[in-house]
Amino acid sequence: MVEIAVMGYGVVGSGVVEVLTNHAENIAKRAKEQIDIKYILDLREFPGSPFESKFTNSFDKILNDPEVKIVVEVMGGLNPAFDYVKRCLEAGKSVVTSNKELVAAKGAQLLKIAQKNNLNFLFEASVGGGIPIIRPISQCLAANDVVEIAGILNGTTNFILTKMIREQMTFDDTLALAQKLGYAERNPAADVEGHDACRKICILSSLAYGRHVYPDQVHTEGITKITLADVEYAAVWGGVVKLIGQVKMMENGKLQIIVCPMFIPRESQLANVDDVFNGIMVRGDSTGDVVFYGKGAGKLPTASAVVADVIDCVKHFKARKYLYWEDGSKDYVEDYLLNEVAMFVRAESDDEDLAFKNINQIFGGVTRLSRKKPANGEIAFVTDVMREKEIVAKLAELEPLGVNVKNMIRIGDL
Amino acid sequence: MVEIAVMGYGVVGSGVVEVLTNHAENIAKRAKEQIDIKYILDLREFPGSPFESKFTNSFDKILNDPEVKIVVEVMGGLNPAFDYVKRCLEAGKSVVTSNKELVAAKGAQLLKIAQKNNLNFLFEASVGGGIPIIRPISQCLAANDVVEIAGILNGTTNFILTKMIREQMTFDDTLALAQKLGYAERNPAADVEGHDACRKICILSSLAYGRHVYPDQVHTEGITKITLADVEYAAVWGGVVKLIGQVKMMENGKLQIIVCPMFIPRESQLANVDDVFNGIMVRGDSTGDVVFYGKGAGKLPTASAVVADVIDCVKHFKARKYLYWEDGSKDYVEDYLLNEVAMFVRAESDDEDLAFKNINQIFGGVTRLSRKKPANGEIAFVTDVMREKEIVAKLAELEPLGVNVKNMIRIGDL
């Protein structure tokens, strides 16, 4: 019998308790031990709950109980989660978490403490919800150099973009619908500004390349500026707009990493990942492209990933799982303006012909796009591949010539 | 330092040696041990090979060398692979294999010997090549009841069907092309008759439900009867023809399992799995649908999966991996004629109107399909969902009424 504690009884926490209870027999068989929830930490009270006797509002009770060998942290946020998790690891308890904010901000530090104390710190549920991705990257792909990871890592924004693409709903209307359906928070910034996707690509990158990348090192753009015009131009170009987190190792040993909306060709496996689903492409030098697809969030998918980690902890009390990365450094990430990229540009101009004469002269040729009912003076084109700073400079040259950029979207090479 | 032997130096075997050599440093880091290839078993000689000194044609040399702790079996086929693997396990050596024929025919027996001797018998590469699937099913999805598995499990047939769909090439022409490109064997029966896909769905099913399903228990149809007319009707219906291996657990405790071509709706994640790629959908009661996509075959993808298993073996000399299923039984699989299914039917008739009058009367209504340039007297329709034996009986009733069935393809509920 292994005693565990669950910290946080929100959506994921209650899901963890539910999965552990409903699948108890199977789980015991797989873990080769019965798993018992001794405490559930929550400030609220849950009178009448079948787990009423397990609730506590005292973290110290969990910390100081030597019987508790594994702690599940599903509170979310950095505080007090970081402090609690750190103290649990220091007290000799393995920790399983679904908290991407925590892992993205403090992963290297917590993994170091876990290693020092010969404990496990596992976080399969922090990326991709119920999609197995942390474990496949760390284990199955051990015989590969990871060339690239690119993914649709946030279900809320993918739902919004899918509605915009399929039903020509505006961003604002779709966001309101997503909030009504419970897919988006009342304050949707973490999703629509790309922060959630950024945390996830940071975790995947840290794992794949062995050094921590911090969210503030990653150029991150959300989807708030995407209009139906952009969606339509993406279709004309031959694809769809998706919010992508992408990382590649460059030859100079630095990372090329970014989170932003991209035009994705229709043939790409990621182009067909719709609604609240996530899709993650891992390109290995031996395996080629492997894509993982599924629900990236939700109570039971996420809970089932947490429980799989708990089972792994139980099975590996003595043989620690290999899951580790070093601390990062300031110069580890390449300036995104130095990345080579092709760019979709939507702009306004009073004189279309003159505008394209100037654009073609300054860019040395672009691919012009047109849609059925453009706004007055609207023009659109796709540049060749060049350094992003060059594109920005050329567009700046065009401004005094009467070409006013309204939006820029990178072309994904996926 | 761990000594291993590689049995078989064909495509996969040479890939295993290549991956172990090229990624030696990374692999040693992950396995926490250096891995050394002591022997390569092959009847052929490879003069001038950098591994020349390691070659042997004596299995006994490997068997009787106590230094060899792990044996990689990549010879393929049942004989002598089964005998060799069995004797290795009995001699206290863990075994890693990519041999789906072996695992599908002898998995339960070999897993039992491995368990008895506290050894590992691992076979990630036997399904999906470089796609991680065995490990995710057995570990990550431990907190799920597997409701269903369905997949495109054979790259050769998927390549052929893709060409038929996209380029209207006939089956015969596409098969010849696949052979020319090295995607299909000179004797293509194992692929095009569905036997390869059958072995793989047997392995996945055995793993997911804990009891061995043998290939001869599974109704298996290949793609040799698929014509361009069928492909065109699939498009009219709203989808594509794919060779699918599918298994579900029924309420009566029996398995519904089948390998056959199916019409798959265009919206299905599996509909977009094209060319030589594989895609496997695992439906869990907690996770919902998770799809794994990638190259299902090929030297390096398969080799990298084998090497990942070798690393796992090294890390788990003392803590055995949980990977086990019981032996099966004769009545474990439901008669496929009892399955409920909708069916596409292509037939011939001298009098189309009379034919549909009779069809509608006997079936109580069907969905009629038509294509642009049908053959003389060609008719096509899709039945409602009913037991397959009912469909067969009704079609038999129609035969004396002048409706001659040319092909039947099941409608996939994917």
Side-chain angles (χ1 to χ4, degrees):
Chain A
M1 170 93 87
V2 177
E3 301 286 355
I4 73 167
V6 176
M7 304 199 297
Y9 197 66
V11 174
V12 178
S14 60
V16 169
V17 172
E18 185 179 328
V19 169
L20 281 170
T21 310
N22 291 351
H23 292 79
E25 196 185 334
N26 239 334
I27 290 168
K29 206 169 110 190
R30 299 253 165 195
K32 298 182 188 165
E33 289 260 22
Q34 207 99 30
I35 296 175
D36 181 62
I37 303 170
K38 189 160 182 184
Y39 305 107
I40 304 173
L41 179 71
D42 207 294
L43 294 181
R44 297 166 295 176
E45 285 179 14
F46 296 88
S49 155
F51 309 105
E52 197 174 355
S53 64
K54 300 177 186 293
F55 280 97
T56 175
N57 56 19
S58 159
F59 169 66
D60 286 333
K61 203 162 160 185
I62 294 171
L63 187 70
N64 297 324
D65 186 335
E67 275 189 16
V68 174
K69 301 291 187 204
I70 300 168
V71 175
V72 173
E73 186 278 302
V74 282
M75 300 182 288
L78 270 185
N79 293 307
F82 172 57
D83 179 53
Y84 285 6
V85 167
K86 188 162 165 275
R87 286 161 69 192
C88 284
L89 289 169
E90 285 166 347
K93 300 174 196 305
S94 282
V95 173
V96 171
T97 184
S98 63
N99 187 337
K100 48 209 163 248
E101 195 176 347
L102 176 69
V103 181
K106 303 288 183 182
Q109 190 179 344
L110 293 171
L111 284 166
K112 201 169 196 171
I113 301 172
Q115 191 193 39
K116 208 178 100 194
N117 294 298
N118 203 29
L119 297 165
N120 281 302
F121 174 57
L122 303 180
F123 40 84
E124 177 64 66
S126 67
V127 182
I131 310 171
I133 182 72
I134 300 289
R135 206 175 264 103
I137 289 187
S138 97
Q139 293 189 343
C140 301
L141 306 183
N144 279 265
D145 288 337
V146 175
V147 176
E148 175 178 351
I149 300 175
I152 295 169
L153 300 164
N154 178 274
T156 307
T157 47
N158 203 42
F159 172 81
I160 293 173
L161 290 172
T162 303
K163 284 276 169 197
M164 290 175 74
I165 293 164
R166 287 211 196 132
E167 299 171 28
Q168 286 75 52
M169 283 174 70
T170 63
F171 173 79
D172 289 335
D173 287 351
T174 321
L175 175 58
L177 176 64
Q179 286 171 319
K180 198 175 139 198
L181 291 171
Y183 294 159
E185 309 277 336
R186 199 168 306 175
N187 177 354
D191 290 321
V192 299
E193 300 292 356
H195 303 312
D196 178 76
C198 177
R199 288 167 190 148
K200 291 167 177 168
I201 196 71
C202 284
I203 295 171
L204 295 178
S205 175
S206 302
L207 182 66
Y209 298 113
R211 286 177 68 192
H212 200 125
V213 184
Y214 293 91
D216 60 7
Q217 294 181 289
V218 179
H219 179 73
T220 301
E221 297 175 15
I223 62 165
T224 54
K225 287 199 282 180
I226 304 292
T227 65
L228 289 177
D230 299 323
V231 166
E232 217 175 294
Y233 280 119
V236 169
W237 171 80
V240 287
V241 184
K242 292 287 181 189
L243 181 67
I244 300 288
Q246 186 180 30
V247 62
K248 294 179 201 178
M249 178 56 78
M250 297 170 68
E251 280 184 18
N252 65 8
K254 291 190 181 190
L255 283 187
Q256 184 175 321
I257 182 167
I258 197 163
V259 174
C260 63
M262 291 185 191
F263 277 18
I264 302 294
R266 231 169 254 127
E267 303 74 45
S268 162
Q269 278 299 312
L270 295 182
N272 297 304
V273 176
D274 285 329
D275 294 318
V276 294
F277 285 85
N278 287 13
I280 303 165
M281 187 273 290
V282 180
R283 181 169 292 163
D285 66 341
S286 302
T287 54
D289 292 3
V290 178
V291 180
F292 302 81
Y293 167 94
K295 279 216 172 120
K299 178 176 173 169
L300 291 181
T302 308
S304 89
V306 169
V307 170
D309 273 351
V310 171
I311 294 172
D312 237 17
C313 272
V314 173
K315 287 165 65 184
H316 290 85
F317 274 130
K318 275 153 204 167
R320 232 189 119 254
K321 300 287 293 181
Y322 185 90
L323 196 65
Y324 191 73
W325 62 70
E326 303 284 337
D327 201 2
S329 63
K330 271 205 165 4
D331 63 350
Y332 180 38
V333 172
E334 185 69 279
D335 178 357
Y336 78 97
L337 287 170
L338 299 179
N339 296 345
E340 305 248 327
V341 69
M343 188 75 79
F344 161 79
V345 179
R346 178 166 54 81
E348 266 178 16
S349 161
D350 289 340
D351 183 337
E352 211 171 307
D353 290 341
L354 180 65
F356 272 104
K357 204 182 135 200
N358 287 324
I359 291 165
N360 278 316
Q361 192 161 25
I362 285 174
F363 274 97
V366 296
T367 306
R368 194 166 166 174
L369 299 180
S370 32
R371 62 178 184 128
K372 270 186 188 148
K373 294 177 183 167
N376 227 349
E378 182 184 283
I379 58 173
F381 58 91
V382 173
T383 73
D384 285 346
V385 173
M386 61 189 80
R387 293 206 167 198
E388 185 160 336
K389 64 187 273 187
E390 274 184 74
I391 297 174
V392 173
K394 286 177 195 298
L395 292 173
E397 274 183 69
L398 283 164
E399 210 190 329
L401 301 172
V403 177
N404 297 309
V405 175
K406 304 308 275 182
N407 205 3
M408 290 162 57
I409 300 175
R410 293 169 189 82
I411 306 291
D413 52 346
L414 297 171
Chain B
M1 172 94 88
V2 177
E3 301 286 356
I4 75 167
V6 177
M7 304 199 296
Y9 197 66
V11 174
V12 178
S14 61
V16 169
V17 173
E18 186 179 326
V19 169
L20 281 170
T21 310
N22 291 351
H23 292 78
E25 196 185 334
N26 240 334
I27 290 168
K29 207 170 109 191
R30 301 252 163 197
K32 298 182 187 166
E33 288 260 21
Q34 206 99 30
I35 296 175
D36 182 63
I37 303 171
K38 188 160 183 185
Y39 304 108
I40 304 173
L41 179 72
D42 206 294
L43 295 180
R44 297 165 296 175
E45 285 179 15
F46 296 88
S49 154
F51 310 103
E52 195 172 359
S53 64
K54 300 177 187 293
F55 280 97
T56 175
N57 56 19
S58 160
F59 168 68
D60 285 334
K61 203 161 160 185
I62 294 170
L63 186 71
N64 296 324
D65 186 335
E67 275 188 12
V68 174
K69 301 289 186 204
I70 300 168
V71 175
V72 173
E73 186 277 301
V74 281
M75 299 182 289
L78 270 186
N79 293 307
F82 172 58
D83 179 54
Y84 285 6
V85 167
K86 189 163 164 275
R87 287 161 70 193
C88 284
L89 289 170
E90 286 167 346
K93 302 175 196 303
S94 283
V95 174
V96 171
T97 184
S98 62
N99 187 335
K100 49 208 162 253
E101 195 174 350
L102 175 68
V103 180
K106 303 288 182 182
Q109 190 179 345
L110 293 170
L111 284 166
K112 200 167 195 170
I113 301 173
Q115 191 192 39
K116 209 178 96 192
N117 294 297
N118 202 29
L119 297 165
N120 281 302
F121 175 57
L122 304 180
F123 40 83
E124 177 64 66
S126 67
V127 182
I131 310 171
I133 182 72
I134 301 288
R135 206 175 266 106
I137 290 185
S138 96
Q139 293 190 344
C140 302
L141 306 183
N144 279 266
D145 287 339
V146 175
V147 177
E148 176 179 351
I149 300 175
I152 294 169
L153 300 165
N154 178 273
T156 306
T157 46
N158 203 41
F159 173 82
I160 293 173
L161 291 172
T162 303
K163 283 276 169 199
M164 291 175 73
I165 293 164
R166 287 211 196 134
E167 299 171 28
Q168 285 76 53
M169 283 174 68
T170 64
F171 173 81
D172 289 335
D173 287 350
T174 322
L175 175 58
L177 175 64
Q179 286 172 319
K180 199 175 139 196
L181 292 172
Y183 295 155
E185 310 277 336
R186 198 168 306 177
N187 177 354
D191 290 321
V192 299
E193 300 291 356
H195 303 311
D196 177 78
C198 176
R199 288 167 191 149
K200 291 169 180 168
I201 196 71
C202 284
I203 294 171
L204 295 179
S205 175
S206 303
L207 181 66
Y209 298 112
R211 285 178 68 191
H212 200 126
V213 184
Y214 293 93
D216 61 7
Q217 294 181 287
V218 180
H219 179 72
T220 300
E221 297 176 15
I223 63 164
T224 54
K225 286 198 284 179
I226 304 293
T227 66
L228 290 178
D230 299 322
V231 167
E232 217 175 297
Y233 280 118
V236 169
W237 171 80
V240 287
V241 184
K242 293 286 181 190
L243 182 67
I244 300 288
Q246 186 180 30
V247 62
K248 293 179 202 179
M249 178 57 75
M250 297 170 71
E251 280 183 18
N252 64 7
K254 290 190 180 189
L255 284 186
Q256 184 176 321
I257 181 168
I258 197 164
V259 173
C260 63
M262 291 185 191
F263 277 17
I264 302 295
R266 233 169 251 127
E267 303 74 42
S268 161
Q269 279 297 314
L270 295 182
N272 297 305
V273 175
D274 285 329
D275 295 317
V276 292
F277 285 86
N278 286 15
I280 304 164
M281 188 272 289
V282 181
R283 182 168 292 164
D285 66 341
S286 302
T287 55
D289 292 3
V290 177
V291 180
F292 302 82
Y293 167 93
K295 279 214 173 126
K299 177 177 175 169
L300 290 181
T302 308
S304 88
V306 170
V307 171
D309 273 350
V310 171
I311 294 172
D312 238 16
C313 272
V314 173
K315 286 164 66 185
H316 290 85
F317 274 131
K318 276 152 206 170
R320 231 190 119 255
K321 300 288 290 179
Y322 186 90
L323 197 63
Y324 190 74
W325 61 71
E326 304 284 338
D327 200 2
S329 64
K330 271 207 163 15
D331 63 350
Y332 180 39
V333 171
E334 185 67 281
D335 179 356
Y336 78 98
L337 287 170
L338 300 179
N339 296 344
E340 304 249 328
V341 69
M343 189 74 79
F344 161 80
V345 179
R346 179 167 54 81
E348 266 179 14
S349 161
D350 289 338
D351 184 337
E352 209 168 311
D353 289 340
L354 180 66
F356 272 103
K357 204 181 134 201
N358 287 324
I359 290 165
N360 278 316
Q361 192 159 26
I362 286 175
F363 275 96
V366 296
T367 305
R368 192 166 167 175
L369 299 180
S370 34
R371 62 178 184 128
K372 271 188 187 146
K373 294 178 183 165
N376 228 349
E378 180 184 283
I379 57 173
F381 58 93
V382 174
T383 73
D384 284 344
V385 173
M386 61 190 80
R387 292 206 167 196
E388 184 158 338
K389 64 186 272 189
E390 273 186 73
I391 297 174
V392 172
K394 287 177 193 297
L395 291 173
E397 275 183 69
L398 283 163
E399 210 191 327
L401 302 172
V403 177
N404 297 309
V405 175
K406 305 308 274 183
N407 205 3
M408 290 162 58
I409 300 175
R410 294 169 188 82
I411 306 291
D413 53 347
L414 297 171

